Amino acid sequence: MLIVFLLTFLLQYASCANILYVAPIASPSLQRWNRALAMGLRNRGHNVTMLSHDAEKGPPIQNFTLILLEGIYDILDSKFVSNEIKEDTAIKTMKALFKHVEFCCEYDFNTTGFKTLQEYPKKFKFDLIIFDSSYGRCFYPLVTRFNNPPAVAVTPYRLPPILSNAFGNHLHTSYTPYYNTEFSTKMTFLERLLNFFYTFVEVMYRKNSFSPKENKLVKDYFGEETPALRDYERNMSLLLANVDFIFDFPMALPPNIIPVGGLHLTPSKPLPKDLQKIMDDSKNGVIYFSLGSFLRSDKLSATQKTNLVEAFKQLPQTVLWKYEGGSIEGLPKNVILRKTLPQNDILGHKNTKLFITHGGILSTQEAMYHAAPVVGIPFRSDQRANIRRMERRKTARLINYNNLTVTHILENVKEVLNNPIYKTNMKLVAKRYRDQPMTALQKGVYWIEYVLRHKNVDHLVLPARDMDGYQTANLDILACLLLLCLSIYIAYLFLPTAINVTYETLRNHIQAK
């Protein structure tokens, strides 16, 4: 028995890999998703080095090294107010996002953390590089820097059209809504027209406007001989995307795009003693209120905070409020403020009756996993889209940020609390999501190890990846058929006339002789 154990241990150790995980997205929330995947790989015995903007809390972790891209949150906080409402169009939001990515790339190249990674020995070996490819590609030349190991792309930002297209997926705009819109899978003609426009504008904007800037930036830093970023991207055969057919909607995906929606989700753990007592002693249940890791509820206007407090005062439930500031004047006894709260563990407690949230991707996934009905107060277009989709499924209600009155808050909160349909539907979503042969994290780890075992996984890539869009949509075939039909129709219209004219000409010619 001891021999079997030792052989198993040695076999596992021998198969461990040295992995570089590049997660440059400046978002504490989305970093949780990346970190969950990194920890999943680390727990399998792999050695993971992570490049990230988010520092680790707590003591060092064995087989895990963080290289910090320091200081960007201070810069971002000084550039704009996190709670600023964005009512821009989908196109303006898209352009602003690409501009943000360009700024982050320029900033990251000059950080001490990135220079630390660049100073690794020239022959240092990584067996695999994982890139968070949500929008930026400026770190792709690290593949060359570390002697061309295989690479895998991941995105916690659902499945952006630019990535879906880049990995060979046909963009089904007739029933796959653009992520920054409130469209459903059943769109009107006008909505389908706009959806088609938004989707392909993003794809073309990246290809024709942003890519030249991105390539120039990379060549200025890594050298003129650096290959084009599209070549690096083409050599990545696999993409793990934070989408799930239960949480989101059914979608057609090629074999090399793996849905691992909610891989950060875990069962709830016991709460700290003080919070556990609050949760257990709340006879009427608990309402959990949080605007996520980036937005701050203490930055709400004085009127909005007063209205929230007044509304909460009229509820019998205990309200746990993640509030980043100091105290609030006139706070009722049933409202408890904390600067940090263990969201996952609170949502998983049996006494949690409602989650009031900004509607971020990870927060809504956690709510559905733990079957916690939602009232959403979205600040940005993607958050609004998330809550609208849940509202259609009768698992959430949306409160307009500009209509945060006492009456409106109470109306929506009481509707979700008192109407059992919201809890019932949430339980159904949670039950369906959990009924899978393996967890999303296990699936993600399996496919990364698959790449480690096989190196090149081009056998999973559709030929569509190397074809133009007009070919995959058969537009050239349709154009040819249309031209043929048009030719036949023209012939049908003019052939009798041509025959008559020819006949008359010949007859006149014969008679003239």
Side-chain angles (χ1 to χ4, degrees):
M1 189 69 181
L2 179 60
I3 294 175
V4 173
F5 173 78
L6 288 173
L7 286 173
T8 303
F9 175 78
L10 291 172
L11 182 62
Q12 181 182 6
Y13 181 80
S15 65
C16 293
N18 195 26
I19 299 172
L20 174 61
Y21 198 135
V22 182
I25 189 166
S27 167
S29 176
L30 296 181
Q31 173 60 14
R32 289 194 297 119
W33 191 93
N34 282 314
R35 188 182 183 280
L37 181 56
M39 287 298 109
L41 292 165
R42 177 256 173 201
N43 292 339
R44 286 280 294 171
H46 303 293
N47 182 65
V48 180
T49 300
M50 176 171 258
L51 191 68
S52 169
H53 291 288
D54 295 87
E56 280 291 308
K57 299 175 182 177
I61 302 172
Q62 188 178 6
N63 291 344
F64 179 78
T65 303
L66 178 76
I67 301 177
L68 184 66
L69 298 170
E70 75 286 345
I72 197 167
Y73 290 120
D74 295 332
I75 302 294
L76 293 178
D77 287 344
S78 66
K79 285 175 72 71
F80 65 92
V81 179
S82 63
N83 287 29
E84 181 184 354
I85 294 297
K86 298 293 184 184
E87 297 290 356
D88 288 339
T89 63
I91 300 300
K92 287 184 179 180
T93 301
M94 175 201 71
K95 292 175 71 174
L97 185 56
F98 279 114
K99 187 176 180 180
H100 172 73
V101 170
E102 184 180 3
F103 163 77
C104 289
C105 285
E106 290 176 345
Y107 179 87
D108 291 343
F109 284 161
N110 294 295
T111 59
T112 302
F114 187 66
K115 290 173 183 175
T116 299
L117 182 64
Q118 285 288 72
E119 289 169 1
Y120 273 39
K122 291 293 182 183
K123 294 184 179 181
F124 191 89
K125 181 184 177 183
F126 283 112
D127 300 298
L128 177 77
I129 302 180
I130 301 172
F131 291 99
D132 181 342
S133 303
S134 297
Y135 275 87
R137 300 177 293 179
C138 57
F139 286 97
Y140 285 2
L142 288 174
V143 171
T144 302
R145 165 65 181 81
F146 290 107
N147 307 304
N148 299 297
V152 171
V154 302
T155 174
Y157 202 64
R158 286 216 164 89
L159 181 58
I162 53 173
L163 279 183
S164 187
N165 176 258
F167 279 79
N169 193 24
H170 184 70
L171 299 176
H172 303 276
T173 59
S174 58
Y175 60 84
T176 304
Y178 184 66
Y179 61 95
N180 266 341
T181 68
E182 298 178 38
F183 301 155
S184 70
T185 54
K186 297 178 180 179
M187 292 174 265
T188 65
F189 174 80
L190 179 59
E191 287 173 341
R192 284 190 290 117
L193 179 64
L194 289 172
N195 199 57
F196 178 89
F197 176 74
Y198 293 148
T199 301
F200 283 98
V201 162
E202 178 171 295
V203 171
M204 298 308 295
Y205 184 84
R206 185 212 204 195
K207 180 179 179 181
N208 299 315
S209 181
F210 184 67
S211 285
K213 297 177 186 176
E214 199 174 22
N215 276 290
K216 182 181 183 304
L217 180 63
V218 163
K219 287 180 183 293
D220 288 344
Y221 189 85
F222 288 97
E224 285 297 323
E225 71 284 357
T226 304
L229 293 173
R230 68 173 179 273
D231 295 333
Y232 285 112
E233 190 168 61
R234 179 57 187 86
N235 288 328
M236 297 180 202
S237 300
L238 202 70
L239 170 66
L240 305 184
N242 187 24
V243 292
D244 180 82
F245 304 146
I246 306 299
F247 285 167
D248 301 294
F249 40 79
M251 59 186 78
L253 297 177
N256 65 322
I257 298 181
I258 311 299
V260 288
L263 66 72
H264 64 293
L265 300 171
T266 59
S268 59
K269 301 185 296 294
L271 292 160
K273 289 182 179 180
D274 59 334
L275 279 178
Q276 189 71 44
K277 182 172 176 22
I278 291 169
M279 297 293 295
D280 292 342
D281 292 348
S282 298
K283 296 180 181 179
N284 296 307
V286 173
I287 296 172
Y288 175 57
F289 176 30
S290 170
L291 295 181
S293 57
F294 194 62
L295 300 171
R296 296 175 57 111
S297 56
D298 64 325
K299 299 295 184 183
L300 295 170
S301 70
T303 301
Q304 290 169 329
K305 285 188 281 189
T306 299
N307 289 346
L308 284 165
V309 169
E310 185 58 36
F312 293 157
K313 187 188 298 184
Q314 299 180 41
L315 296 170
Q317 289 81 16
T318 299
V319 179
L320 278 178
W321 183 347
K322 180 178 173 288
Y323 187 79
E324 299 77 8
S327 60
I328 297 178
E329 188 176 347
L331 197 69
K333 291 182 179 180
N334 69 319
V335 179
I336 299 170
L337 305 183
R338 294 286 175 89
K339 290 186 177 181
T340 59
L341 285 164
Q343 178 167 296
N344 183 73
D345 305 326
I346 290 172
L347 292 178
H349 193 280
K350 62 180 181 179
N351 273 354
T352 300
K353 304 300 181 183
L354 176 67
F355 180 24
I356 303 177
T357 173
H358 64 306
I361 298 170
L362 270 61
S363 289
T364 52
Q365 287 178 334
E366 283 178 332
M368 289 186 277
Y369 177 77
H370 290 295
V374 164
V375 167
I377 310 174
F379 284 68
R380 288 169 173 75
S381 54
D382 61 314
Q383 298 163 3
R384 192 174 184 87
N386 294 337
I387 298 298
R388 281 294 184 210
R389 290 185 189 118
M390 294 180 72
E391 199 172 42
R392 290 189 189 98
R393 300 168 75 172
K394 282 283 186 181
T395 57
R397 288 290 293 265
L398 186 147
I399 297 179
N400 193 311
Y401 175 90
N402 294 316
N403 190 24
L404 214 55
T405 64
V406 175
T407 302
H408 197 52
I409 295 167
L410 285 173
E411 177 188 335
N412 285 278
V413 167
K414 287 182 177 180
E415 165 64 18
V416 177
L417 286 172
N418 298 330
N419 189 339
I421 191 66
Y422 295 93
K423 184 66 175 180
T424 300
N425 288 342
M426 269 300 201
K427 284 182 177 179
L428 183 61
V429 171
K431 182 180 179 181
R432 287 171 174 171
Y433 176 79
R434 291 167 184 256
D435 189 8
Q436 300 189 53
M438 63 173 68
T439 67
L441 180 58
Q442 289 171 337
K443 187 195 293 187
V445 169
Y446 167 82
W447 280 104
I448 288 172
E449 291 182 336
Y450 185 89
V451 175
L452 281 168
R453 289 192 298 271
H454 299 281
K455 310 303 179 187
N456 188 312
V457 291
D458 262 358
H459 55 280
L460 298 176
V461 177
L462 294 180
R465 192 174 188 186
D466 299 313
M467 298 169 67
D468 290 322
Y470 73 87
Q471 292 174 311
T472 59
N474 283 322
L475 295 181
D476 51 345
I477 303 296
L478 293 173
C480 180
L481 292 174
L482 181 62
L483 184 62
L484 178 62
C485 292
L486 187 62
S487 300
I488 294 172
Y489 181 66
I490 291 173
Y492 171 77
L493 289 178
F494 293 103
L495 188 60
T497 303
I499 292 173
N500 287 335
V501 170
T502 303
Y503 173 77
E504 290 296 329
T505 302
L506 288 174
R507 190 178 70 171
N508 292 337
H509 180 72
I510 293 171
Q511 290 177 350
K513 288 184 175 181

